[in-house]
Amino acid sequence: MTVPDEVRFGTIRTAPLGRAQAVTVEGGPQTARRTRSLIASSDNEDFVVVKLLHRGGARVEQDARDNAVRPGQLFVYDMARPVRLTLPEPFETKSLVLPRAVLGLDESDLSRITASPLGPETPVGGLLAPFLSRLVDAAEVCPEPAGELVARNVVDLLTVLADERRGVDAQDSPSGAWC
């Protein structure tokens, strides 16, 4: 992602959770872009980001979707495809960066869940948003392998979300490719 030069302040905190990475970002208004040329010149396209907007407002664009995001909502974006994230006011986000392979989703299933805000009023969002927030907050002190084991629950919930979006019964779907 690129961030414009006019960004004057911000803090990024990261902590490993096995193959996943917990990330908290606080900052001022900005627009972050991941363009085709950035994707072609980088080596981190094999990741998917599950992001919770904790404070502020946002707009996310990916896969022909352009949606506003409110505090308490989460969204997913794929680092292998162009994305634009506009944060017009001071913000805080909490994210889990996952290797694409652990999701076990094909391209069409993944594209069904990208850039589609999911709020706490939905069944999956009601579970995933507070769970993700607490996981990211505790990641620095979470012992291995417990951190990765807990992060797998996020993958399971994303699989349920993808199944819901394509109309599949969750009992008929694998819960990811962690093995």
Side-chain angles (χ1 to χ4, degrees):
M1 300 281 264
T2 62
V3 177
D5 293 335
E6 62 268 11
V7 172
R8 297 204 179 357
F9 68 93
T11 305
I12 300 173
R13 292 185 308 277
T14 66
L17 289 169
R19 292 181 278 172
Q21 185 85 8
V23 181
T24 301
V25 179
E26 295 179 71
Q30 60 186 271
T31 298
R33 293 176 183 87
R34 185 148 170 87
T35 63
R36 292 190 192 286
S37 62
L38 284 172
I39 293 166
S41 65
S42 78
D43 61 351
N44 63 355
E45 72 275 358
D46 290 334
F47 294 94
V48 172
V49 180
V50 184
K51 188 175 293 283
L52 171 68
L53 182 63
H54 186 69
R55 182 173 40 88
R59 181 157 220 92
V60 61
E61 300 171 50
Q62 188 170 56
D63 293 328
R65 281 189 282 287
D66 180 355
N67 287 303
V69 183
R70 298 181 320 270
Q73 290 185 314
L74 55 87
F75 58 96
V76 176
Y77 62 90
D78 182 357
M79 298 289 286
R81 296 197 292 274
V83 62
R84 178 193 317 248
L85 179 59
T86 304
L87 300 140
E89 59 191 272
F91 69 91
E92 180 180 6
T93 61
K94 298 178 181 187
S95 306
L96 193 61
V97 181
L98 300 162
R100 290 172 60 112
V102 304
L103 291 175
L105 298 175
D106 63 28
E107 287 298 315
S108 65
D109 288 340
L110 183 56
S111 71
R112 280 187 183 91
I113 63 173
T114 55
S116 296
L118 185 64
E121 69 282 355
T122 65
V124 175
L127 292 169
L128 191 51
F131 184 78
L132 180 67
S133 180
R134 290 185 182 112
L135 174 62
V136 171
D137 288 344
E140 290 181 43
V141 296
C142 198
E144 283 301 324
E148 183 170 3
L149 293 172
V150 173
R152 289 181 190 184
N153 290 285
V154 173
V155 172
D156 289 341
L157 288 169
L158 286 175
T159 302
V160 169
L161 175 61
D163 290 346
E164 281 181 357
R165 297 260 167 102
R166 68 182 165 118
V168 171
D169 185 350
Q171 294 177 1
D172 298 332
S173 175
S175 63
W178 281 91
C179 298

